[in-house]
Amino acid sequence: MDERIKRTKDKLRVYGNYTRQIQQLEHRLQQIEDAIAWHEDWPEQAAKECGIHRLDPKHPAVQRMTIEQASLELEIDQAYVERQLLGLDAWLDSLSGDDRQIIRLVYEAGYSYQAAAPLVNLSKSGLRDRIDAICKSPHACG
């Protein structure tokens, strides 16, 4: 395999890992924000709905929920920064819709070639060849 293709695929794997991490963190943050919005007059219930319980008098659940919310926001920002440092954003944005969908399925959503191929009307080997072609393009980061 061409070294450029291998480097690009390696970067895409890391990019996908960051993307999935960001999605998980954003999902948890949304749970907390929704609970706070629904129970703005009863923050203890919001914390309870989020699975955050009082450990002891010094660590009330509401305070722990607020700390978790702030921590999640920081983790999300940091993950975006680290993902951006891979230098793939502009290249990914320049891909055609079909090529971008292939990359999203395989590297961001974590589908195997076998599972992703029918979703884009390709055979497994056709999908592999298409990904190699995408990664070999002149503007691919390597």
Side-chain angles (χ1 to χ4, degrees), residues 96-111:
S96 70
D98 291 343
D99 288 350
R100 183 71 177 113
Q101 181 184 13
I102 289 169
I103 296 299
R104 277 193 181 119
L105 286 171
V106 174
Y107 293 99
E108 294 177 29
Y111 281 77

Side-chain angles (χ1 to χ4, degrees), residues 102-129:
I102 289 169
I103 296 299
R104 277 193 181 119
L105 286 171
V106 174
Y107 293 99
E108 294 177 29
Y111 281 77
S112 66
Y113 286 5
Q114 184 75 32
L119 300 175
V120 292
N121 297 321
L122 291 171
S123 66
K124 180 180 170 183
S125 62
L127 179 67
R128 184 187 62 240
D129 293 344

Side-chain angles (χ1 to χ4, degrees), residues 13-136:
R13 281 186 199 90
V14 174
Y15 188 93
N17 288 339
Y18 278 121
T19 300
R20 287 187 298 279
Q21 176 190 14
I22 289 166
Q23 290 168 346
Q24 289 172 346
L25 293 169
E26 287 176 338
H27 178 72
R28 177 62 177 157
L29 180 60
Q30 190 62 53
Q31 285 178 323
I32 292 171
E33 290 174 347
D34 289 348
I36 290 170
W38 278 99
H39 301 289
E40 61 184 88
D41 57 339
W42 192 11
E44 291 82 9
Q45 181 63 27
K48 185 178 179 181
E49 280 189 17
C50 293
I52 301 170
H53 305 284
R54 181 183 191 138
L55 294 176
D56 59 54
K58 292 182 181 179
H59 300 92
V62 174
Q63 180 184 31
R64 290 182 56 229
M65 182 176 63
T66 304
I67 291 168
E68 183 176 347
Q69 182 181 17
S71 295
L72 286 167
E73 290 169 352
L74 287 173
E75 286 182 63
I76 290 167
D77 289 345
Q78 185 64 33
Y80 272 114
V81 167
E82 290 173 11
R83 187 179 74 175
Q84 189 175 22
L85 291 174
L86 292 168
L88 295 177
D89 292 325
W91 173 66
L92 289 169
D93 289 343
S94 74
L95 296 176
S96 70
D98 291 343
D99 288 350
R100 183 71 177 113
Q101 181 184 13
I102 289 169
I103 296 299
R104 277 193 181 119
L105 286 171
V106 174
Y107 293 99
E108 294 177 29
Y111 281 77
S112 66
Y113 286 5
Q114 184 75 32
L119 300 175
V120 292
N121 297 321
L122 291 171
S123 66
K124 180 180 170 183
S125 62
L127 179 67
R128 184 187 62 240
D129 293 344
R130 185 68 202 131
I131 289 174
D132 286 352
I134 294 167
C135 292
K136 197 174 187 173

